[in-house]
Each structure stands twice: as C-alpha cells, then as structure tokens.
C-alpha cells in the first residue's frame, strides 16, 4: 500500500482512527497516559505499577508466543541479509531482542528504550553481557545513529504510546537510520467491535495495572489510514505496507522508495 497521492493532513489534530475517522471512532480515543508513560522517578507506588505492567507484558509474550511471532516477522524482513544489524526501539523488557539473538546466530541487535529504568533492567539481564547485543538509552524520535547504520529498525507494541507528531518523527528517523522500519502494534478494530472490546476490559481496569494500560493502549492505537497519513507526513518519499490488524497484531513496513 503506497502513500503516493493524498491531501495534506493536520497531523497534530488527526484522530487515531485517521483523517476520516467516524464520530464513534473519535470518541474511542483518550489523551490519558498509561502507567508506562508517567514519570515515576519520585513515586515508588507508580514505579511498582510500571514494573508490574512490564512483567505482565513479558509474561504474556512468553505464554501467548508473541516473542516468537514477532521475531519471525522481524527475521523474515532480513532473510536476505547474511549478518543483519537490527535496532529495537522501545524495547521495554527486551524479550523480542532476546529471541532474535537466540534464533539468528549472526544477528547483531542494538536494544534501546527511552526509559532509563528499562534500559538499566535490560543491561542487568543476560542481554547486557551478550556478545552480539548492545544496550542503549535512546529516543526513537531522535536516533543517535548514522544514516543506514542498521539493516532494520523494529518498534513492537510501543508505537501507540506516541502522539502523532512524535510518531511521524519515529517513521522518519527509523527509515533514515535503517532504511526500513518495521512497526508491530495493536490493531484498531472498527468502532463497534472496538466498543465491545473496551466494555469487556473496563471492569478490571481499576484494579489491574496491566488491564488499565491495555484499555488506554487500545484507545490510542493507530488505524491503517492514520499510519498512512503519518508516513506521508514523515516524508513523501516513504512508502508503507500494511498487513493484518483485525484480530492479530497490525504490522507496518515503512521504507524509502
């Protein structure tokens, strides 16, 4: 799917459902922050909730096979590269990078996150001493990397945390530093299905931090039309290919023409 011709969009005001989102879809959106998005440097209780969410994400990734599914998607993208250099953005707990290093014997993976506590936790794990891994604190909107330093950048289950302007910057930066940016994120279903899903989650959101963040994540996920608009805003020279996204993860592959 290409971004070649389309009218300009006010990206800062664009709803998560895209420029032509329905009234109901626009209502199923929030500016509320997830626990993961909040500054917990001076709040021990909030930091505990954030760690709880990260542990739950790691657990669900293991139990439901997300690490394996996502790793296969990543490796398919670099199947023709003998010794791929992969940059993971917003790594969180590092589960995806760990699986990539396990499955590919020569891949070199740079594991990054903007959150210092997450970077410290990854560095203190087995990944910190892995001979083919580099752990760094890095802002995905302003990558400390040379042009085409990597063969692929991947952003898994974190893209929805970004406001539209920042999301477009990640697309621009990821395709600059790696040529191709692979985004794996939550789907944004049609508004009636989305409403039903949220209704089933809300009763638990007040007591379970993981569900609380899941509700907000769902409301902040980008639709396919929104992703096309973001890529177009990042650069008219960027194409974006979209896959899946109804019941499974939404996959977007952004690259320069």
């Amino acid at each position: 799917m290409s971004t070649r011709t389309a009218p300009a969009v006010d990206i800062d005001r664009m709803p998560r459902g895209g420029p032509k989102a329905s009234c109901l879809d626009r209502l199923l959106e929030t500016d509320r922050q997830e626990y993961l998005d909040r500054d917990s440097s001076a709040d021990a209780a909030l930091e505990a909730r954030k760690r709880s969410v990260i542990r739950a994400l790691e657990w669900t990734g293991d139990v439901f096979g997300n690490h394996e599914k996502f790793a296969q998607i990543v490796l398919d993208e670099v199947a023709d590269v003998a010794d791929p250099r992969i940059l993971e953005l917003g790594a969180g707990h590092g589960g995806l990078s760990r699986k990539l290093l396990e499955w590919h014997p020569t891949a070199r993976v740079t594991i990054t996150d903007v959150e210092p506590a997450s970077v410290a936790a990854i560095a203190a794990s087995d990944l910190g001493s892995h001979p083919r891994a580099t752990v760094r604190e890095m802002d995905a909107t302003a990558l400390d990397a040379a042009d085409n330093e990597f063969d692929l950048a991947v952003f898994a289950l974190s893209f929805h945390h970004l406001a539209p302007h920042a999301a477009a910057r990640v697309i621009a930066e990821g395709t600059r530093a790696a040529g191709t940016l692979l985004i794996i994120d939550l789907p944004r279903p049609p508004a009636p299905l989305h409403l039903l899903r949220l209704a089933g989650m809300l009763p638990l959101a007040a007591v379970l931090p993981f569900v609380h963040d899941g509700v907000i994540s769902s409301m902040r996920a980008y639709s396919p039309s929104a992703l096309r608009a973001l890529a177009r805003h990042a650069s008219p020279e960027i194409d974006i290919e979209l896959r899946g996204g109804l019941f499974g993860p939404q996959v977007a592959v952004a690259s320069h023409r």
Side-chain angles (χ1 to χ4, degrees), residues 12-237:
D12 290 315
R13 298 167 63 96
M14 184 188 73
R16 300 292 175 118
K20 297 181 179 179
S22 68
C23 292
L24 177 57
D25 198 354
R26 291 167 189 258
L27 290 173
L28 301 178
E29 185 173 327
T30 183
D31 290 329
R32 186 180 179 88
Q33 286 188 320
E34 300 177 36
Y35 291 131
L36 289 179
D37 296 321
R38 302 178 191 178
D39 182 5
S40 60
S41 57
D43 188 333
L46 176 55
E47 179 61 25
R49 292 191 188 99
K50 290 175 73 169
R51 292 295 111 195
S52 170
V53 173
I54 290 173
R55 286 194 301 271
L57 288 169
E58 188 168 15
W59 180 83
T60 56
D62 289 335
V63 171
F64 295 103
N66 287 341
H67 301 328
E68 288 83 357
K69 293 173 188 174
F70 297 169
Q72 190 59 62
I73 294 170
V74 172
L75 294 179
D76 285 347
E77 289 297 321
V78 293
D80 295 332
V81 182
D83 304 308
R85 302 160 299 164
I86 300 170
L87 170 65
E88 185 181 5
L89 306 171
H93 48 73
L96 173 57
S97 286
R98 183 175 287 106
K99 188 59 63 176
L100 291 173
L101 291 163
E102 176 188 336
W103 280 8
H104 198 298
T106 62
R108 303 193 68 85
V109 183
T110 299
I111 309 159
T112 72
D113 199 284
V114 73
E115 179 68 40
S118 293
V119 174
I122 295 170
S125 73
D126 57 308
L127 291 172
S129 58
H130 195 289
R132 290 183 285 113
T134 302
V135 181
R136 295 184 59 189
E137 183 179 335
M138 196 180 292
D139 183 349
T141 67
L143 296 178
D144 181 15
D147 293 358
N148 297 310
E149 183 173 335
F150 300 94
D151 298 300
L152 180 72
V154 57
F155 207 164
L157 297 186
S158 296
F159 194 74
H160 61 272
H161 290 280
L162 303 169
H165 186 76
R169 284 296 307 152
V170 169
I171 293 175
E173 281 289 274
T175 53
R176 176 191 65 78
T180 299
L181 170 66
L182 173 65
I183 300 167
I184 305 171
D185 209 358
L186 301 174
R188 187 176 188 89
L193 291 177
H194 197 185
L195 184 62
L196 289 174
R197 184 169 75 178
L198 290 171
M201 297 170 69
L202 281 172
L204 294 174
V207 293
L208 295 177
F210 176 63
V211 180
H212 169 277
D213 275 19
V215 168
I216 295 174
S217 293
S218 183
M219 297 179 76
R220 296 180 70 182
Y222 288 104
S223 72
S225 64
L227 287 168
R228 293 188 195 99
L230 291 171
R232 201 159 50 240
H233 183 82
S235 169
E237 297 303 315

